[in-house]
Amino acid sequence: MSFAMRSKLFVPAIRPELFAKALASAADAISIDLEDAVPESRKEEARNEVGRFLSSPALRGCTKQIIVRVNAAGTPHFLADLHALTGSVVHMLNLPKPQSAGDVRAAIQAMDAAHLAADTTVLANIETPVALRRAAEIAGAHPRVVGLQLGLGDLFEPAGIDRRTAANVHAAMFQLSLAAAETGIFCCDGAYPNVKDVTGFRAEAAMAHALGFVGKSCIHPSQIAMANEIFQPDPAQIEQARRIVSAADAAAASGRAAFLVDGQMIDPPFLQRARRLLLSVQGKQSSP
């Protein structure tokens, strides 16, 4: 599956003054956080603010993906979060800390019971060793699950794994990418915690891009342009993908399975990659 979400801007739900600014930003998606960004004493206040905003005229004509990270299923706040979002513009629910396919299915049953829109999809956060081991199972739990996202801080901290070591990050990204590929959904990179470390952000985003991730979470507006640049398809690659798909269609019409493009033999993996790239471009042009 392709998905146009090069940049996803994190917005704390207790900062309603930032909602309109996020909508006006260059991010492909905004992710309003009801979970970690909201202290226990302000959960109700935050969900009421989010419900009002997402039901307001400010969302008319919005071309961004609207994502809300709710509190984890099983917490006292999960069901209240869902009911606060009923009737609102929510394209995707970011589900934290599922441990199994059963957890995901139970959460989606709760979404249905709360009458969230039938086309509200799920981005599942992989934040524990168990969840990473079961990532493909979680990804395939329900058709509403369209993406996986890494939570490296939660994943690494209990095991004492160094978040700053690129090899550790690569290993987790690689495992998540394969799980997403197994079920045909996308994977999105999580946040880079040091806003001032531009070099680190770029390096981690480039690694994610090389591993097939569609985009990266941004915790500050200054990171948006970098994410958009790194995950933007190269025009030369798009043109080559068009030539590959066109040649494949011509080969199929003439009963040939093997063909060359730019002197290179094209086999099924190359063709699949070309089709995915063109779908991602189309998704960017037609995203809601």
Side-chain angles (χ1 to χ4, degrees):
M1 175 180 179
S2 68
F3 198 78
M5 195 165 69
R6 302 166 301 170
S7 53
K8 178 165 66 67
L9 180 61
F10 170 88
V11 186
I14 53 171
R15 298 288 304 279
E17 72 276 11
L18 299 179
F19 295 168
K21 292 180 180 179
L23 280 183
S25 75
D28 290 338
I30 65 171
S31 182
I32 302 176
D33 183 34
L34 287 165
E35 193 207 17
D36 289 345
V38 181
E40 193 73 16
S41 62
R42 299 185 66 184
K43 294 288 190 184
E44 183 174 2
E45 172 195 347
R47 72 171 63 97
N48 289 338
E49 290 283 4
V50 172
R52 276 193 292 272
F53 174 68
L54 296 183
S55 302
S56 72
L59 273 293
R60 288 196 194 123
C62 176
T63 59
K64 298 188 188 306
Q65 294 288 329
I66 305 299
I67 305 169
V68 178
R69 181 164 76 170
V70 294
N71 288 275
T75 67
H77 304 290
F78 175 65
L79 294 179
D81 289 348
L82 297 184
H83 286 288
L85 299 174
T86 302
S88 300
V89 176
V90 181
H91 300 127
M92 187 179 298
L93 204 74
N94 187 197
L95 182 65
K97 301 176 178 63
Q99 296 282 76
S100 67
D103 287 351
V104 173
R105 286 191 286 267
I108 291 173
Q109 287 178 349
M111 290 169 63
D112 290 336
H115 303 294
L116 262 68
D119 59 354
T120 300
T121 56
V122 171
L123 172 64
N125 276 14
I126 303 302
E127 302 177 76
T128 67
V130 170
L132 186 58
R133 177 164 51 84
R134 297 174 176 170
E137 171 191 330
I138 289 169
H142 193 278
R144 277 204 191 193
V145 181
V146 296
L148 300 176
Q149 178 174 287
L150 270 177
L152 287 172
D154 288 297
L155 178 64
F156 285 171
E157 185 58 34
I161 298 172
D162 187 355
R163 169 72 172 78
R164 299 164 298 178
T165 301
N168 295 342
V169 176
H170 183 279
M173 284 186 181
F174 181 75
Q175 191 169 340
L176 193 79
S177 184
L178 290 182
E182 182 176 334
T183 48
I185 68 175
F186 72 84
C187 47
C188 181
D189 194 13
Y192 188 78
N194 188 346
V195 173
K196 294 182 179 180
D197 184 6
V198 173
T199 301
F201 180 92
R202 281 188 168 276
E204 191 165 283
M207 181 191 298
H209 182 255
L211 287 168
F213 284 54
V214 300
K216 186 165 182 62
S217 300
C218 302
I219 58 173
H220 191 273
S222 64
Q223 298 174 329
I224 295 170
M226 292 187 288
N228 286 347
E229 173 198 339
I230 290 166
F231 289 96
Q232 178 68 29
D234 181 90
Q237 292 176 330
I238 295 171
E239 180 55 34
Q240 184 187 47
R242 290 193 176 112
R243 291 199 302 275
I244 290 172
V245 170
S246 178
D249 292 343
S254 62
R256 292 182 291 114
F259 57 94
L260 298 176
V261 174
D262 301 334
Q264 180 174 357
M265 176 66 73
I266 302 301
D267 60 6
F270 279 99
L271 178 57
Q272 291 165 10
R273 184 186 307 165
R275 293 193 190 280
R276 280 198 303 270
L277 177 58
L278 295 181
L279 283 171
S280 72
V281 174
Q282 293 168 8
K284 176 62 185 152
Q285 292 170 345
S286 61
S287 59

mmCIF file of all heavy atoms in Angstrom, residues 8-22 30-39 42-43 45-47 49-50 53 67-69 218-221:
data_model
loop_
_atom_site.group_PDB
_atom_site.id
_atom_site.type_symbol
_atom_site.label_atom_id
_atom_site.label_comp_id
_atom_site.label_asym_id
_atom_site.label_seq_id
_atom_site.Cartn_x
_atom_site.Cartn_y
_atom_site.Cartn_z
ATOM 1 N N LYS A 8 4.735 14.201 9.476
ATOM 2 C CA LYS A 8 3.586 14.128 10.383
ATOM 3 C C LYS A 8 3.930 14.978 11.602
ATOM 4 O O LYS A 8 4.810 14.626 12.382
ATOM 5 C CB LYS A 8 3.316 12.670 10.775
ATOM 6 C CG LYS A 8 2.167 12.480 11.752
ATOM 7 C CD LYS A 8 1.737 11.026 11.806
ATOM 8 C CE LYS A 8 2.779 10.123 12.382
ATOM 9 N NZ LYS A 8 3.030 10.377 13.820
ATOM 10 N N LEU A 9 3.255 16.105 11.747
ATOM 11 C CA LEU A 9 3.584 17.061 12.802
ATOM 12 C C LEU A 9 2.844 16.730 14.089
ATOM 13 O O LEU A 9 1.619 16.676 14.125
ATOM 14 C CB LEU A 9 3.243 18.482 12.358
ATOM 15 C CG LEU A 9 3.545 19.603 13.363
ATOM 16 C CD1 LEU A 9 5.037 19.646 13.693
ATOM 17 C CD2 LEU A 9 3.071 20.947 12.834
ATOM 18 N N PHE A 10 3.618 16.530 15.143
ATOM 19 C CA PHE A 10 3.089 16.236 16.469
ATOM 20 C C PHE A 10 2.535 17.522 17.096
ATOM 21 O O PHE A 10 3.201 18.563 17.107
ATOM 22 C CB PHE A 10 4.237 15.677 17.318
ATOM 23 C CG PHE A 10 3.942 15.535 18.782
ATOM 24 C CD1 PHE A 10 3.377 14.382 19.281
ATOM 25 C CD2 PHE A 10 4.259 16.556 19.675
ATOM 26 C CE1 PHE A 10 3.131 14.241 20.633
ATOM 27 C CE2 PHE A 10 4.019 16.428 21.024
ATOM 28 C CZ PHE A 10 3.443 15.267 21.506
ATOM 29 N N VAL A 11 1.299 17.449 17.625
ATOM 30 C CA VAL A 11 0.664 18.608 18.254
ATOM 31 C C VAL A 11 0.083 18.175 19.607
ATOM 32 O O VAL A 11 -0.817 17.337 19.655
ATOM 33 C CB VAL A 11 -0.473 19.187 17.382
ATOM 34 C CG1 VAL A 11 -1.013 20.464 17.994
ATOM 35 C CG2 VAL A 11 0.008 19.432 15.951
ATOM 36 N N PRO A 12 0.586 18.712 20.726
ATOM 37 C CA PRO A 12 0.020 18.348 22.033
ATOM 38 C C PRO A 12 -1.442 18.788 22.142
ATOM 39 O O PRO A 12 -1.777 19.918 21.791
ATOM 40 C CB PRO A 12 0.900 19.123 23.025
ATOM 41 C CG PRO A 12 2.138 19.472 22.271
ATOM 42 C CD PRO A 12 1.711 19.650 20.846
ATOM 43 N N ALA A 13 -2.284 17.918 22.626
ATOM 44 C CA ALA A 13 -3.706 18.234 22.722
ATOM 45 C C ALA A 13 -4.000 19.329 23.740
ATOM 46 O O ALA A 13 -5.085 19.921 23.707
ATOM 47 C CB ALA A 13 -4.501 16.974 23.071
ATOM 48 N N ILE A 14 -3.076 19.609 24.645
ATOM 49 C CA ILE A 14 -3.285 20.678 25.629
ATOM 50 C C ILE A 14 -2.808 22.034 25.107
ATOM 51 O O ILE A 14 -2.785 23.014 25.856
ATOM 52 C CB ILE A 14 -2.600 20.368 26.980
ATOM 53 C CG1 ILE A 14 -1.132 20.028 26.771
ATOM 54 C CG2 ILE A 14 -3.336 19.266 27.711
ATOM 55 C CD1 ILE A 14 -0.342 19.922 28.059
ATOM 56 N N ARG A 15 -2.433 22.102 23.829
ATOM 57 C CA ARG A 15 -2.003 23.358 23.234
ATOM 58 C C ARG A 15 -2.932 23.722 22.071
ATOM 59 O O ARG A 15 -2.512 23.731 20.910
ATOM 60 C CB ARG A 15 -0.556 23.246 22.741
ATOM 61 C CG ARG A 15 0.476 22.961 23.822
ATOM 62 C CD ARG A 15 0.724 24.152 24.722
ATOM 63 N NE ARG A 15 1.124 25.339 23.967
ATOM 64 C CZ ARG A 15 2.364 25.568 23.524
ATOM 65 N NH1 ARG A 15 3.327 24.678 23.747
ATOM 66 N NH2 ARG A 15 2.644 26.681 22.865
ATOM 67 N N PRO A 16 -4.208 24.009 22.340
ATOM 68 C CA PRO A 16 -5.147 24.291 21.244
ATOM 69 C C PRO A 16 -4.756 25.493 20.396
ATOM 70 O O PRO A 16 -5.178 25.597 19.244
ATOM 71 C CB PRO A 16 -6.479 24.530 21.973
ATOM 72 C CG PRO A 16 -6.106 24.865 23.376
ATOM 73 C CD PRO A 16 -4.866 24.089 23.659
ATOM 74 N N GLU A 17 -3.931 26.389 20.959
ATOM 75 C CA GLU A 17 -3.483 27.543 20.166
ATOM 76 C C GLU A 17 -2.576 27.120 19.017
ATOM 77 O O GLU A 17 -2.335 27.914 18.081
ATOM 78 C CB GLU A 17 -2.759 28.554 21.065
ATOM 79 C CG GLU A 17 -1.383 28.149 21.553
ATOM 80 C CD GLU A 17 -1.393 27.267 22.808
ATOM 81 O OE1 GLU A 17 -2.492 26.784 23.182
ATOM 82 O OE2 GLU A 17 -0.321 27.072 23.404
ATOM 83 N N LEU A 18 -2.092 25.877 19.050
ATOM 84 C CA LEU A 18 -1.219 25.375 17.987
ATOM 85 C C LEU A 18 -1.985 24.651 16.879
ATOM 86 O O LEU A 18 -1.400 24.352 15.818
ATOM 87 C CB LEU A 18 -0.165 24.422 18.561
ATOM 88 C CG LEU A 18 0.801 25.004 19.596
ATOM 89 C CD1 LEU A 18 1.769 23.911 20.065
ATOM 90 C CD2 LEU A 18 1.571 26.173 19.016
ATOM 91 N N PHE A 19 -3.256 24.346 17.094
ATOM 92 C CA PHE A 19 -4.004 23.540 16.123
ATOM 93 C C PHE A 19 -4.064 24.224 14.756
ATOM 94 O O PHE A 19 -3.758 23.621 13.727
ATOM 95 C CB PHE A 19 -5.418 23.261 16.623
ATOM 96 C CG PHE A 19 -5.501 22.401 17.864
ATOM 97 C CD1 PHE A 19 -6.699 22.287 18.557
ATOM 98 C CD2 PHE A 19 -4.396 21.710 18.349
ATOM 99 C CE1 PHE A 19 -6.800 21.509 19.692
ATOM 100 C CE2 PHE A 19 -4.477 20.922 19.495
ATOM 101 C CZ PHE A 19 -5.689 20.825 20.164
ATOM 102 N N ALA A 20 -4.480 25.478 14.739
ATOM 103 C CA ALA A 20 -4.607 26.193 13.470
ATOM 104 C C ALA A 20 -3.247 26.384 12.811
ATOM 105 O O ALA A 20 -3.120 26.308 11.582
ATOM 106 C CB ALA A 20 -5.293 27.545 13.686
ATOM 107 N N LYS A 21 -2.212 26.627 13.613
ATOM 108 C CA LYS A 21 -0.860 26.776 13.060
ATOM 109 C C LYS A 21 -0.400 25.477 12.396
ATOM 110 O O LYS A 21 0.251 25.504 11.343
ATOM 111 C CB LYS A 21 0.119 27.180 14.162
ATOM 112 C CG LYS A 21 -0.111 28.588 14.710
ATOM 113 C CD LYS A 21 0.908 28.915 15.795
ATOM 114 C CE LYS A 21 0.686 30.317 16.335
ATOM 115 N NZ LYS A 21 1.645 30.658 17.413
ATOM 116 N N ALA A 22 -0.732 24.356 13.010
ATOM 117 C CA ALA A 22 -0.364 23.066 12.425
ATOM 118 C C ALA A 22 -1.075 22.858 11.092
ATOM 119 O O ALA A 22 -0.477 22.367 10.128
ATOM 120 C CB ALA A 22 -0.703 21.940 13.392
ATOM 121 N N ILE A 30 -1.151 16.036 10.458
ATOM 122 C CA ILE A 30 -0.946 16.488 11.827
ATOM 123 C C ILE A 30 -1.468 15.392 12.761
ATOM 124 O O ILE A 30 -2.468 14.743 12.465
ATOM 125 C CB ILE A 30 -1.617 17.847 12.134
ATOM 126 C CG1 ILE A 30 -3.138 17.753 12.038
ATOM 127 C CG2 ILE A 30 -1.097 18.919 11.208
ATOM 128 C CD1 ILE A 30 -3.839 19.002 12.549
ATOM 129 N N SER A 31 -0.729 15.181 13.832
ATOM 130 C CA SER A 31 -1.085 14.142 14.789
ATOM 131 C C SER A 31 -1.273 14.783 16.154
ATOM 132 O O SER A 31 -0.306 15.176 16.809
ATOM 133 C CB SER A 31 0.014 13.073 14.847
ATOM 134 O OG SER A 31 -0.348 12.038 15.737
ATOM 135 N N ILE A 32 -2.523 14.916 16.555
ATOM 136 C CA ILE A 32 -2.840 15.537 17.842
ATOM 137 C C ILE A 32 -2.776 14.464 18.921
ATOM 138 O O ILE A 32 -3.412 13.418 18.814
ATOM 139 C CB ILE A 32 -4.226 16.195 17.799
ATOM 140 C CG1 ILE A 32 -4.271 17.240 16.675
ATOM 141 C CG2 ILE A 32 -4.564 16.842 19.133
ATOM 142 C CD1 ILE A 32 -5.625 17.895 16.485
ATOM 143 N N ASP A 33 -1.985 14.735 19.959
ATOM 144 C CA ASP A 33 -1.672 13.712 20.948
ATOM 145 C C ASP A 33 -2.455 13.889 22.235
ATOM 146 O O ASP A 33 -2.282 14.870 22.955
ATOM 147 C CB ASP A 33 -0.176 13.744 21.249
ATOM 148 C CG ASP A 33 0.227 12.642 22.221
ATOM 149 O OD1 ASP A 33 -0.378 11.555 22.151
ATOM 150 O OD2 ASP A 33 1.118 12.868 23.048
ATOM 151 N N LEU A 34 -3.297 12.909 22.532
ATOM 152 C CA LEU A 34 -4.036 12.864 23.794
ATOM 153 C C LEU A 34 -3.339 11.995 24.836
ATOM 154 O O LEU A 34 -3.787 11.937 25.985
ATOM 155 C CB LEU A 34 -5.442 12.303 23.551
ATOM 156 C CG LEU A 34 -6.439 13.215 22.843
ATOM 157 C CD1 LEU A 34 -7.636 12.416 22.354
ATOM 158 C CD2 LEU A 34 -6.890 14.339 23.765
ATOM 159 N N GLU A 35 -2.250 11.350 24.437
ATOM 160 C CA GLU A 35 -1.620 10.383 25.346
ATOM 161 C C GLU A 35 -0.477 11.013 26.136
ATOM 162 O O GLU A 35 -0.696 11.702 27.137
ATOM 163 C CB GLU A 35 -1.130 9.165 24.549
ATOM 164 C CG GLU A 35 -0.753 7.997 25.456
ATOM 165 C CD GLU A 35 0.285 7.076 24.832
ATOM 166 O OE1 GLU A 35 0.963 7.452 23.859
ATOM 167 O OE2 GLU A 35 0.445 5.976 25.356
ATOM 168 N N ASP A 36 0.751 10.815 25.694
ATOM 169 C CA ASP A 36 1.912 11.213 26.489
ATOM 170 C C ASP A 36 2.020 12.718 26.705
ATOM 171 O O ASP A 36 2.611 13.165 27.695
ATOM 172 C CB ASP A 36 3.200 10.722 25.820
ATOM 173 C CG ASP A 36 3.362 9.212 25.907
ATOM 174 O OD1 ASP A 36 2.639 8.594 26.722
ATOM 175 O OD2 ASP A 36 4.195 8.651 25.179
ATOM 176 N N ALA A 37 1.472 13.511 25.798
ATOM 177 C CA ALA A 37 1.610 14.969 25.891
ATOM 178 C C ALA A 37 0.625 15.603 26.876
ATOM 179 O O ALA A 37 0.686 16.810 27.111
ATOM 180 C CB ALA A 37 1.412 15.608 24.512
ATOM 181 N N VAL A 38 -0.253 14.799 27.457
ATOM 182 C CA VAL A 38 -1.297 15.343 28.331
ATOM 183 C C VAL A 38 -1.180 14.736 29.727
ATOM 184 O O VAL A 38 -1.284 13.511 29.876
ATOM 185 C CB VAL A 38 -2.698 15.054 27.757
ATOM 186 C CG1 VAL A 38 -3.780 15.648 28.664
ATOM 187 C CG2 VAL A 38 -2.825 15.592 26.337
ATOM 188 N N PRO A 39 -0.970 15.554 30.756
ATOM 189 C CA PRO A 39 -0.913 15.015 32.119
ATOM 190 C C PRO A 39 -2.272 14.468 32.549
ATOM 191 O O PRO A 39 -3.324 14.870 32.030
ATOM 192 C CB PRO A 39 -0.511 16.222 32.966
ATOM 193 C CG PRO A 39 -0.898 17.409 32.170
ATOM 194 C CD PRO A 39 -0.766 17.021 30.731
ATOM 195 N N ARG A 42 -5.325 16.663 33.157
ATOM 196 C CA ARG A 42 -5.891 17.483 32.089
ATOM 197 C C ARG A 42 -6.437 16.655 30.921
ATOM 198 O O ARG A 42 -6.715 17.190 29.845
ATOM 199 C CB ARG A 42 -4.830 18.470 31.588
ATOM 200 C CG ARG A 42 -4.340 19.425 32.667
ATOM 201 C CD ARG A 42 -3.398 20.461 32.112
ATOM 202 N NE ARG A 42 -4.067 21.375 31.187
ATOM 203 C CZ ARG A 42 -3.424 22.328 30.510
ATOM 204 N NH1 ARG A 42 -2.106 22.477 30.645
ATOM 205 N NH2 ARG A 42 -4.088 23.123 29.689
ATOM 206 N N LYS A 43 -6.609 15.360 31.128
ATOM 207 C CA LYS A 43 -7.085 14.496 30.057
ATOM 208 C C LYS A 43 -8.461 14.937 29.542
ATOM 209 O O LYS A 43 -8.679 15.044 28.332
ATOM 210 C CB LYS A 43 -7.155 13.038 30.523
ATOM 211 C CG LYS A 43 -5.815 12.402 30.848
ATOM 212 C CD LYS A 43 -5.000 12.118 29.605
ATOM 213 C CE LYS A 43 -3.775 11.271 29.940
ATOM 214 N NZ LYS A 43 -2.895 11.042 28.774
ATOM 215 N N GLU A 45 -10.021 17.844 29.827
ATOM 216 C CA GLU A 45 -9.903 19.155 29.183
ATOM 217 C C GLU A 45 -9.351 19.017 27.768
ATOM 218 O O GLU A 45 -9.863 19.624 26.808
ATOM 219 C CB GLU A 45 -8.979 20.041 30.016
ATOM 220 C CG GLU A 45 -8.617 21.371 29.370
ATOM 221 C CD GLU A 45 -7.438 22.033 30.065
ATOM 222 O OE1 GLU A 45 -7.056 21.612 31.169
ATOM 223 O OE2 GLU A 45 -6.885 22.986 29.469
ATOM 224 N N ALA A 46 -8.311 18.202 27.614
ATOM 225 C CA ALA A 46 -7.661 18.039 26.317
ATOM 226 C C ALA A 46 -8.588 17.389 25.308
ATOM 227 O O ALA A 46 -8.692 17.842 24.159
ATOM 228 C CB ALA A 46 -6.388 17.211 26.469
ATOM 229 N N ARG A 47 -9.275 16.328 25.711
ATOM 230 C CA ARG A 47 -10.145 15.657 24.736
ATOM 231 C C ARG A 47 -11.315 16.554 24.327
ATOM 232 O O ARG A 47 -11.753 16.505 23.171
ATOM 233 C CB ARG A 47 -10.605 14.294 25.247
ATOM 234 C CG ARG A 47 -11.619 14.281 26.357
ATOM 235 C CD ARG A 47 -12.130 12.862 26.609
ATOM 236 N NE ARG A 47 -11.063 11.993 27.062
ATOM 237 C CZ ARG A 47 -10.832 11.704 28.339
ATOM 238 N NH1 ARG A 47 -11.589 12.230 29.297
ATOM 239 N NH2 ARG A 47 -9.860 10.902 28.681
ATOM 240 N N GLU A 49 -11.144 19.846 24.053
ATOM 241 C CA GLU A 49 -10.553 20.803 23.112
ATOM 242 C C GLU A 49 -10.404 20.178 21.726
ATOM 243 O O GLU A 49 -10.720 20.792 20.696
ATOM 244 C CB GLU A 49 -9.186 21.276 23.613
ATOM 245 C CG GLU A 49 -9.231 22.176 24.831
ATOM 246 C CD GLU A 49 -9.644 23.607 24.492
ATOM 247 O OE1 GLU A 49 -9.970 23.889 23.319
ATOM 248 O OE2 GLU A 49 -9.634 24.440 25.414
ATOM 249 N N VAL A 50 -9.921 18.945 21.697
ATOM 250 C CA VAL A 50 -9.712 18.264 20.415
ATOM 251 C C VAL A 50 -11.042 17.999 19.719
ATOM 252 O O VAL A 50 -11.175 18.224 18.508
ATOM 253 C CB VAL A 50 -8.939 16.947 20.641
ATOM 254 C CG1 VAL A 50 -8.886 16.134 19.342
ATOM 255 C CG2 VAL A 50 -7.538 17.241 21.133
ATOM 256 N N PHE A 53 -12.290 21.229 18.185
ATOM 257 C CA PHE A 53 -11.523 21.653 17.020
ATOM 258 C C PHE A 53 -11.836 20.791 15.799
ATOM 259 O O PHE A 53 -12.032 21.309 14.685
ATOM 260 C CB PHE A 53 -10.027 21.582 17.328
ATOM 261 C CG PHE A 53 -9.158 21.856 16.144
ATOM 262 C CD1 PHE A 53 -9.103 23.117 15.570
ATOM 263 C CD2 PHE A 53 -8.394 20.840 15.584
ATOM 264 C CE1 PHE A 53 -8.305 23.370 14.464
ATOM 265 C CE2 PHE A 53 -7.592 21.088 14.486
ATOM 266 C CZ PHE A 53 -7.547 22.355 13.927
ATOM 267 N N ILE A 67 -4.792 13.017 12.216
ATOM 268 C CA ILE A 67 -4.531 11.839 13.041
ATOM 269 C C ILE A 67 -4.673 12.229 14.507
ATOM 270 O O ILE A 67 -4.262 13.318 14.904
ATOM 271 C CB ILE A 67 -3.102 11.308 12.786
ATOM 272 C CG1 ILE A 67 -2.894 11.023 11.295
ATOM 273 C CG2 ILE A 67 -2.824 10.059 13.616
ATOM 274 C CD1 ILE A 67 -1.453 10.758 10.924
ATOM 275 N N VAL A 68 -5.246 11.356 15.300
ATOM 276 C CA VAL A 68 -5.317 11.581 16.745
ATOM 277 C C VAL A 68 -4.720 10.373 17.447
ATOM 278 O O VAL A 68 -5.125 9.227 17.200
ATOM 279 C CB VAL A 68 -6.763 11.806 17.227
ATOM 280 C CG1 VAL A 68 -6.780 11.977 18.748
ATOM 281 C CG2 VAL A 68 -7.378 13.021 16.552
ATOM 282 N N ARG A 69 -3.726 10.645 18.297
ATOM 283 C CA ARG A 69 -3.196 9.562 19.136
ATOM 284 C C ARG A 69 -3.991 9.552 20.420
ATOM 285 O O ARG A 69 -3.944 10.491 21.214
ATOM 286 C CB ARG A 69 -1.716 9.737 19.430
ATOM 287 C CG ARG A 69 -1.178 8.577 20.283
ATOM 288 C CD ARG A 69 0.328 8.476 20.283
ATOM 289 N NE ARG A 69 0.952 9.478 21.129
ATOM 290 C CZ ARG A 69 2.260 9.458 21.442
ATOM 291 N NH1 ARG A 69 3.040 8.499 20.968
ATOM 292 N NH2 ARG A 69 2.774 10.394 22.201
ATOM 293 N N CYS A 218 7.455 14.614 13.127
ATOM 294 C CA CYS A 218 8.168 15.852 13.442
ATOM 295 C C CYS A 218 7.618 16.410 14.748
ATOM 296 O O CYS A 218 6.399 16.523 14.903
ATOM 297 C CB CYS A 218 7.981 16.886 12.327
ATOM 298 S SG CYS A 218 8.523 16.326 10.699
ATOM 299 N N ILE A 219 8.503 16.764 15.664
ATOM 300 C CA ILE A 219 8.035 17.331 16.931
ATOM 301 C C ILE A 219 8.189 18.850 16.956
ATOM 302 O O ILE A 219 7.842 19.476 17.953
ATOM 303 C CB ILE A 219 8.762 16.698 18.135
ATOM 304 C CG1 ILE A 219 10.278 16.879 18.025
ATOM 305 C CG2 ILE A 219 8.391 15.224 18.264
ATOM 306 C CD1 ILE A 219 11.036 16.416 19.258
ATOM 307 N N HIS A 220 8.698 19.405 15.860
ATOM 308 C CA HIS A 220 8.837 20.856 15.757
ATOM 309 C C HIS A 220 8.666 21.244 14.288
ATOM 310 O O HIS A 220 9.110 20.505 13.392
ATOM 311 C CB HIS A 220 10.209 21.295 16.269
ATOM 312 C CG HIS A 220 10.331 22.776 16.443
ATOM 313 N ND1 HIS A 220 10.714 23.609 15.412
ATOM 314 C CD2 HIS A 220 10.115 23.570 17.525
ATOM 315 C CE1 HIS A 220 10.725 24.858 15.848
ATOM 316 N NE2 HIS A 220 10.368 24.861 17.126
ATOM 317 N N PRO A 221 8.021 22.393 14.020
ATOM 318 C CA PRO A 221 7.826 22.804 12.622
ATOM 319 C C PRO A 221 9.113 22.899 11.814
ATOM 320 O O PRO A 221 9.093 22.735 10.586
ATOM 321 C CB PRO A 221 7.153 24.176 12.760
ATOM 322 C CG PRO A 221 6.453 24.120 14.076
ATOM 323 C CD PRO A 221 7.335 23.301 14.960
#
